[in-house]
Amino acid sequence: MHYDVVVVGGGAGGLELAARLGRALGPRRGRERVALIDRAVIHIWKPTLHEIAAGTLDAHQEGLSYPVLARRNHFSFLMGEMTRMDPATKSLTLGELLDSHGRPISPERTLSFGVCVLAVGSGSNSFNTPGVERAYVLERTEDAELFHKVLLAAFTRASFSSGRALSVAIVGGGATGVELAAELLEAHSEYQEGFVAEQRFRLDVAVVEAAPRILGGLPEKISRQATTALERKGVRVLTDAMVTRVAEDRLETSAGDIPAELVVWAAGVKAASSNAGLGLEISRSNQIVVDDRLRASAPDIYALGDCAQCPWEEGRSIPARAQAAHQQASYLAGVLLAKLREREVDKPFVYRDFGSLVSLGEGRGVGTLMGGLGGRNFFVEGLVAKWMYMSLHLMHHHAILGSVRTALLAVARLLQKRVSGRLKLH
Ligand SMILES: Cc1cc2nc3c(=O)[nH]c(=O)nc-3n(C[C@H](O)[C@H](O)[C@H](O)COP(=O)(O)OP(=O)(O)OC[C@H]3O[C@@H](n4cnc5c(N)ncnc54)[C@H](O)[C@@H]3O)c2cc1C
């Protein structure tokens, strides 16, 4: 099997890239020349994982099937996990696929490529903290679904317990941790509404951050507003608190112990350790080192999104954000289309930071918009910020579904929530 362009990883960046290339090449040439590989068969936009974890979004309704997206956007989809790549022979291997009972459903496959784009994302960084295996993570859809199941059981247990309380600690005060904390409180209040008063229970949520403030990568004003909003909702925000151990019923930190029946680990960014075996230069956090044209250290291999360490301004790297993956996908689509048409594009990738938005539950958000009218930056909050936050998701849908389907899907989901409520209990 050979494809001119193989994109590995159909997330925020990789899927948009494959869709743009396929649509530009058309039904026949797109499918012959471009392939997307993903280990899952359903695409979920990663920034919604905290909503799936809290149960305020249903993964089965939210998920879009890769084979359907491939047909509509004219690329080929191959389901499988890339286990090896050889930059010298320009080939890669997809491991054998197994069903839930461990029985093989597809054999190991090898394919060759003209150009390979790695867009395999990243996960959190446990910093080898003792007991971290007791914590839940939000790296894949399955992780979010697992946490949701455990959370619902814990809600029920708490409602019958003598203390009538449940404690959840979230390690990491980045966007994932902050958004999850707000979403958990929404889920809890919706859950409580349907129950008799005797079964109501308290939910204690703590966000634990080693740095002096939460949302450290964002402007200080966002961090202050988010802290105030979370504290008003009853979330305990602990900063300068380094977690030293995840124990059975608590977190041990440099600022003292925090009771925690459930712990979610959402700290740091670390790419897969398997990136070290790809024969490419990688960083200390296993990200693939790329230049300002997203080129990795071997010819015809590119990397984008969270799995790539790409130079930015003042010696920093481009942050691991959906916004960056989206812009890199647009840039590479232009470069690779030119290459397929045997033309050369020699302009570097320039990341434009349009600002940052953080969701603080239904109807509330906070953020900044950069370079607005006259190049000024704007601070936004409340419903306006929340709508803008939601528009990022719509932009992703627009890139892979087009305008009409994006609008229809948005209306369908709104109606669904109106009919069956926000919280998924099954
Ligand atoms: C809860 C949460 C909230 C977030 N909120 C925001 C936000 O508000 N704004 C923002 O900008 N960013 C946010 N982010 C970060 C954002 O999700 C990422 O920056 C973005 O998804 C990165 O896109 P990507 O394409 O690099 O990787 P991903 O979207 O992670 O996609 C990687 C894909 O690669 C596939 N894959 C991985 N390994 C393999 C393999 N070996 N073989 C085959 N397939 C493989 C995976 O299945 C996945 O589909 C959030 C993240 C989380 C977890």
Side-chain angles (χ1 to χ4, degrees):
M1 240 186 317
H2 175 90
Y3 291 92
D4 291 336
V5 179
V6 172
V7 182
V8 189
L15 176 58
E16 290 191 15
L17 173 62
R20 278 175 196 275
L21 291 174
R23 282 203 306 269
L25 292 170
R28 195 178 56 79
R29 289 199 306 143
R31 240 166 265 155
E32 279 169 12
R33 303 185 78 177
V34 179
L36 175 72
I37 293 169
D38 202 284
R39 58 188 175 199
V41 74
I42 298 291
H43 167 70
I44 298 271
W45 195 55
K46 200 174 175 188
T48 56
L49 287 190
H50 63 287
E51 295 175 59
I52 292 171
T56 48
L57 190 73
D58 186 339
H60 301 274
Q61 276 166 15
E62 176 61 22
L64 298 168
S65 129
Y66 282 116
V68 173
L69 292 169
R71 182 161 44 82
R72 295 206 172 124
N73 291 293
H74 317 312
F75 60 82
S76 290
F77 173 66
L78 301 171
M79 186 182 167
E81 178 150 356
M82 181 187 72
T83 49
R84 284 193 301 278
M85 189 183 69
D86 182 2
T89 56
K90 295 201 341 195
S91 64
L92 59 82
T93 306
L94 300 185
E96 184 183 54
L97 275 180
L98 305 175
D99 69 11
S100 52
H101 300 288
R103 290 176 304 216
I105 49 176
S106 82
E108 191 176 87
R109 285 160 292 167
T110 298
L111 55 136
S112 63
F113 55 80
V115 166
C116 177
V117 182
L118 297 166
V120 288
S122 68
S124 51
N125 192 344
S126 70
F127 305 103
N128 297 324
T129 308
V132 75
E133 63 286 351
R134 292 196 183 97
Y136 295 89
V137 289
L138 294 188
E139 292 170 10
R140 301 184 186 197
T141 309
E142 303 90 277
D143 300 329
E145 289 186 301
L146 171 67
F147 179 76
H148 177 56
K149 268 194 206 152
V150 172
L151 179 74
L152 279 185
F155 273 6
T156 312
R157 203 179 309 116
S159 70
F160 288 107
S161 70
S162 52
R164 295 266 160 71
L166 170 67
S167 52
V168 180
I170 301 166
V171 183
T176 307
V178 167
E179 292 181 345
L180 177 65
E183 213 61 35
L184 286 179
L185 292 170
E186 302 260 324
H188 172 248
S189 71
E190 184 136 340
Y191 183 87
Q192 299 263 68
E193 275 167 20
F195 283 86
V196 290
E198 296 74 53
Q199 274 186 319
R200 298 216 169 136
F201 63 97
R202 208 179 64 240
L203 177 66
D204 298 327
V205 179
V207 174
V208 185
E209 170 57 54
R213 63 179 175 97
I214 58 167
L215 299 170
L218 307 186
E220 215 168 320
K221 189 169 179 188
I222 300 188
S223 159
R224 267 201 314 272
Q225 297 276 18
T227 305
T228 310
L230 287 181
E231 285 179 343
R232 269 203 202 122
K233 284 172 183 267
V235 175
R236 198 174 156 201
V237 179
L238 276 112
T239 49
D240 285 316
M242 172 85 78
V243 176
T244 50
R245 192 165 94 95
V246 182
E248 190 96 20
D249 55 353
R250 66 190 185 286
L251 272 185
E252 294 174 8
T253 82
S254 56
D257 286 3
I258 298 154
E261 282 155 73
L262 298 179
V263 174
V264 181
W265 195 275
V269 174
K270 192 159 188 178
S273 52
S274 54
N275 286 350
L278 296 175
L280 302 169
E281 188 193 343
I282 59 161
S283 70
R284 274 174 48 191
S285 57
N286 296 333
Q287 284 172 305
I288 298 152
V289 176
V290 295
D291 65 9
D292 61 358
R293 281 149 173 87
L294 307 186
R295 293 177 299 206
S297 57
D300 294 321
I301 298 179
Y302 296 79
L304 64 77
D306 287 9
C307 74
Q309 188 191 74
C310 180
W312 193 26
E313 54 195 26
E314 293 160 15
R316 289 180 295 160
S317 300
I318 292 177
R321 290 197 200 148
Q323 189 189 154
H326 168 79
Q327 290 179 35
Q328 289 175 330
S330 308
Y331 164 82
L332 266 191
V335 171
L336 297 181
L337 276 173
K339 209 174 168 88
L340 290 174
R341 290 167 182 152
E342 289 172 11
R343 278 191 279 116
E344 209 53 52
V345 172
D346 191 31
K347 58 171 189 183
F349 168 68
V350 181
Y351 175 58
R352 277 200 64 198
D353 188 356
F354 288 106
S356 304
L357 295 158
V358 179
S359 164
L360 297 171
E362 181 138 272
R364 196 168 159 75
V366 62
T368 46
L369 303 177
M370 315 283 268
L373 285 177
R376 286 171 45 210
N377 298 340
F378 287 93
F379 183 76
V380 282
E381 59 181 326
L383 201 55
V384 177
K386 180 69 190 191
W387 281 340
M388 288 183 161
Y389 176 88
M390 282 157 49
S391 71
L392 293 176
H393 195 179
L394 292 179
M395 268 164 59
H396 176 64
H397 275 166
H398 185 260
I400 55 174
L401 293 173
S403 321
V404 176
R405 287 200 175 94
T406 299
L408 288 174
L409 195 64
V411 173
R413 284 184 180 162
L414 191 72
L415 293 175
Q416 176 73 37
K417 278 193 177 164
R418 284 281 145 88
V419 174
S420 51
R422 267 195 98 211
L423 189 63
K424 177 182 171 256
L425 290 173
H426 49 283

